[in-house]
Amino acid sequence: MSDEDADRADALFHALSDRTRRDIMRRVLAGEHSVSALAASYDMSFAAVQKHVAVLERAGLLAKRRRGREQLATGDVQAVRSVAALLTELEAVWRGRIARIDELLGLDPPPPAPAGAPGADSPSSH
């Protein structure tokens, strides 16, 4: 992974590390919302919500546009897919390591999980 890719991954995971930002993402992926309407949904100041939206925007997870005096936010589905791709890469690395450990211990390796299958074996279950 290049330094630029690593910086992008850091920004994405940082942006999604906060519960409020993840909730904002759920909302703006479902449809465009004004920042003021988003702010009304949270028990925090408008400025605090603006800061959360700015973090998501810097990470490329949402885009803002102006309509009159309103700022409208829309989620970027492609950016969310890039997060999923990063997680899939990490899962592949850990599955490979687990298979290697099983091999060294003389155990049969676990069957590979279907891509994107919910409830698939996670590395922590080994």
Side-chain angles (χ1 to χ4, degrees), residues 1-108:
M1 182 181 280
S2 72
D3 283 347
E4 186 176 311
D5 290 340
D7 289 345
R8 170 99 169 116
D10 288 348
L12 289 169
F13 287 116
H14 168 72
L16 294 171
S17 69
D18 181 85
R19 180 179 301 174
T20 300
R21 290 193 290 266
R22 289 190 305 272
D23 190 63
I24 290 170
M25 281 305 301
R26 278 190 284 280
R27 292 169 187 267
V28 298
L29 285 168
E32 190 172 61
H33 285 73
S34 71
V35 176
S36 57
L38 288 170
S41 302
Y42 302 101
D43 188 23
M44 62 180 71
S45 70
F46 178 77
V49 173
Q50 278 185 310
K51 287 180 183 181
H52 283 300
V53 168
V55 170
L56 292 165
E57 185 178 27
R58 278 193 304 273
L61 289 163
L62 65 74
K64 286 190 314 195
R65 69 178 183 89
R66 281 215 169 271
R67 182 177 69 195
R69 294 180 56 173
E70 288 185 310
Q71 290 183 62
L72 301 172
T74 306
D76 184 335
V77 174
Q78 195 58 37
V80 173
R81 286 187 181 132
S82 71
V83 173
L86 287 167
L87 291 172
T88 299
E89 277 181 43
L90 291 172
E91 180 185 19
V93 168
W94 280 104
R95 285 191 173 280
R97 289 179 180 177
I98 290 166
R100 179 69 180 135
I101 291 169
D102 288 346
E103 189 179 296
L104 290 170
L105 295 173
L107 303 173
D108 290 331

